[in-house]
């Protein structure tokens, strides 16, 4: 447990991130753990991300981490059904020192918005939306990603319920289907990172 806590605190979070986390807590939203945020930075940097799509803006915690890992000219396209949350994210990005043209905020339901985004136009897709829709997000991500691009899903452990043998709600059953689909796909090179509540990553061949 000590090792886990040390890993989570390894990348120090600045004032803008702490502010965004506090807004999320007040709104009753989950935000990615510091360890998950650090992993997102590394993943964005690894694929030299210029175009990233994010499902689930929240108050901007994950977005700040992604932007830190992206190229200086990179643009984050972030989708959320709650424009009020996106306003907090906008403030948080500005406080973190990112110019307004570094992020494109699209209010709306992800499955309405994603089909309008360009085929093979993205280096990374980060999914932190409705777990019931995770398989649909995967299908859209595969279309959106260039070869060599990366998709990541947050929260796949579902607080331990994904591996619990007791009867589980539909969203957990969907996550299990997602894990199986990603693991068995010949199109993907997968890995499951034990950070936060589980970060499922896969590179598109």
């Amino acid at each position: 447990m000590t090792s886990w806590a040390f890993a989570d605190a390894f990348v120090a979070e600045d004032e803008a991130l702490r502010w965004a986390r506090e807004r999320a807590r007040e709104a009753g939203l989950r935000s990615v753990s510091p360890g998950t945020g650090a992993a997102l930075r590394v993943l964005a940097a690894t694929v030299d991300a210029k175009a990233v799509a994010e499902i689930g803006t929240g108050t901007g915690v994950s977005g700040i981490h992604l932007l830190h890992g992206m190229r200086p000219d990179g643009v984050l396209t972030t989708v959320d059904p709650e424009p009020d949350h996106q306003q907090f994210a906008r403030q948080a990005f500005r406080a973190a020192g990112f110019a307004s043209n570094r992020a494109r905020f699209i209010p709306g339901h992800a499955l309405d918005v994603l089909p309008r985004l360009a085929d093979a136009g993205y280096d990374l897709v980060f999914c932190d939306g409705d777990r019931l829709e995770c398989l649909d997000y995967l299908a859209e991500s595969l279309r959106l990603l260039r070869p060599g691009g990366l998709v990541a899903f947050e929260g796949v452990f579902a607080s331990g319920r994904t591996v619990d043998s007791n009867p589980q709600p539909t969203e957990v059953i969907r996550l299990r289907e997602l894990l199986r689909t990603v693991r068995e796909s010949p199109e993907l090179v997968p890995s499951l990172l034990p950070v936060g509540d589980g970060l499922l990553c896969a590179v598109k061949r």
Side-chain angles (χ1 to χ4, degrees):
M1 195 60 203
T2 311
S3 305
W4 194 280
F6 180 74
D8 220 27
F10 181 67
V11 173
E13 294 199 326
D14 60 17
E15 187 58 41
L17 274 164
R18 288 195 293 272
W19 183 88
R21 279 193 186 286
E22 188 58 26
R23 300 294 80 74
R25 195 185 60 73
E26 289 169 357
L29 298 174
R30 288 180 303 116
S31 42
V32 299
S33 74
T36 302
L40 291 174
R41 288 189 193 208
V42 168
L43 293 172
T46 300
V47 295
D48 194 28
K50 186 175 182 182
V52 174
E54 177 184 48
I55 300 168
T57 311
T59 57
V61 175
S62 51
I64 290 175
H65 281 293
L66 287 164
L67 283 163
H68 276 303
M70 292 167 67
R71 285 165 46 164
D73 59 343
V75 176
L76 174 69
T77 298
T78 183
V79 181
D80 198 286
E82 298 291 341
D84 291 353
H85 297 161
Q86 289 189 320
Q87 282 304 111
F88 285 131
R90 205 183 290 272
Q91 286 175 254
F93 291 178
R94 194 163 52 239
F98 297 110
S100 59
N101 64 354
R102 293 290 312 279
R104 177 169 64 142
F105 293 91
I106 306 178
H109 183 243
L111 296 180
D112 294 333
V113 175
L114 296 175
R116 304 203 303 261
L117 302 183
D119 290 14
Y122 292 83
D123 306 299
L124 190 155
V125 180
F126 175 56
C127 306
D128 189 14
D130 185 341
R131 289 169 176 169
L132 292 172
E133 297 178 344
C134 59
L135 288 162
D136 298 309
Y137 298 160
L138 176 62
E140 283 295 329
S141 297
L142 290 175
R143 181 185 63 77
L144 293 172
L145 286 171
R146 62 165 172 81
L150 192 145
V151 62
F153 287 85
E154 153 65 3
V156 294
F157 291 164
S159 304
R161 291 178 301 166
T162 306
V163 294
D164 188 335
S165 57
N166 290 316
Q168 295 296 337
T170 309
E171 67 170 38
V172 175
I173 293 164
R174 286 280 181 283
L175 287 173
R176 288 175 181 164
E177 290 172 12
L178 172 72
L179 287 160
R180 188 168 56 248
T181 303
V182 168
R183 189 178 60 208
E184 295 173 358
S185 171
E187 268 191 279
L188 296 170
V189 181
S191 180
L192 181 52
L193 304 184
V195 292
D197 196 19
L199 188 67
L200 175 64
C201 309
V203 174
K204 180 181 174 180
R205 289 187 186 277

